[in-house]
Amino acid sequence: MESELPIYTIEGTDFYVDVNSFRLTEVGNPENVIACTDMADFWDGYRFDYNKERKNIPGFYQRTDAVIALPGFTVLDPEGMAKRFCISIDQVKATTDFDLLVDPVSFDLRVNKGVLPTLTISGHIFYVDIRMDMLRPKDDFLSRGIKFSD
């Protein structure tokens, strides 16, 4: 692990803050990783249950010793976020992780207007339809599409 990464302490355990992979890695045990995708995303940062023995999110049948409120990566490592997104540190400090990571136009189309995202494969346009578990052709209603499992 690079020593230049910032460190954030959770319940007495130091973790490197890695904005390139959006995760925390225990300083003393690089195999112990808490991924951002395993945390609940809030506007001001992230929340997750924490088990002091595992020094991680508890597994099944393991107790939760604390609920961690983690600031956003824009707060934890503004310099790293500025470098990653090619913007100034002042711009990073004036925004949130959500603002940097989510395209507002795509978000509005999907969440507020119900428009499914599309994907083009070999010149054919498909809807990415999670509900139907498939890539659904945009213009060919006779096609069965492509199941995600396939």
Side-chain angles (χ1 to χ4, degrees):
M1 189 62 46
E2 298 177 27
S3 60
E4 63 199 42
L5 294 176
I7 294 175
Y8 187 78
T9 304
I10 300 173
E11 296 291 319
T13 301
D14 290 337
F15 289 86
Y16 289 115
V17 177
D18 187 350
V19 299
N20 290 319
S21 58
F22 286 102
R23 65 184 187 178
L24 304 174
T25 303
E26 185 182 344
V27 171
N29 178 9
E31 300 296 316
N32 185 27
V33 173
I34 304 173
C36 182
T37 54
D38 294 331
M39 304 174 195
D41 189 355
F42 285 78
W43 293 108
D44 62 342
Y46 306 90
R47 308 272 190 291
F48 58 94
D49 293 341
Y50 186 79
N51 177 279
K52 290 180 185 179
E53 185 178 330
R54 287 188 77 206
K55 299 179 182 180
N56 206 314
I57 295 170
F60 289 115
Y61 305 113
Q62 291 181 322
R63 74 180 180 278
T64 296
D65 296 314
V67 176
I68 305 302
L70 184 73
F73 285 88
T74 55
V75 174
L76 294 170
D77 186 8
E79 293 85 8
M81 291 291 274
K83 185 177 177 183
R84 176 167 183 181
F85 291 97
C86 300
I87 59 176
S88 73
I89 292 175
D90 290 335
Q91 287 174 299
V92 170
K93 289 181 178 180
T95 190
T96 65
D97 289 9
F98 181 84
D99 295 330
L100 283 177
L101 296 170
V102 177
D103 174 45
V105 174
S106 297
F107 182 81
D108 180 59
L109 286 171
R110 180 67 196 110
V111 174
N112 297 323
K113 297 184 174 114
V115 176
L116 292 175
T118 60
L119 180 68
T120 303
I121 301 174
S122 297
H124 300 283
I125 301 172
F126 293 85
Y127 289 112
V128 180
D129 195 333
I130 301 295
R131 186 180 54 80
M132 293 186 68
D133 191 37
M134 68 185 310
L135 296 176
R136 192 167 39 89
K138 182 178 179 188
D139 298 323
D140 184 2
F141 298 107
L142 297 178
S143 171
R144 294 182 179 200
I146 303 169
K147 294 288 240 180
F148 291 139
S149 58
D150 294 342

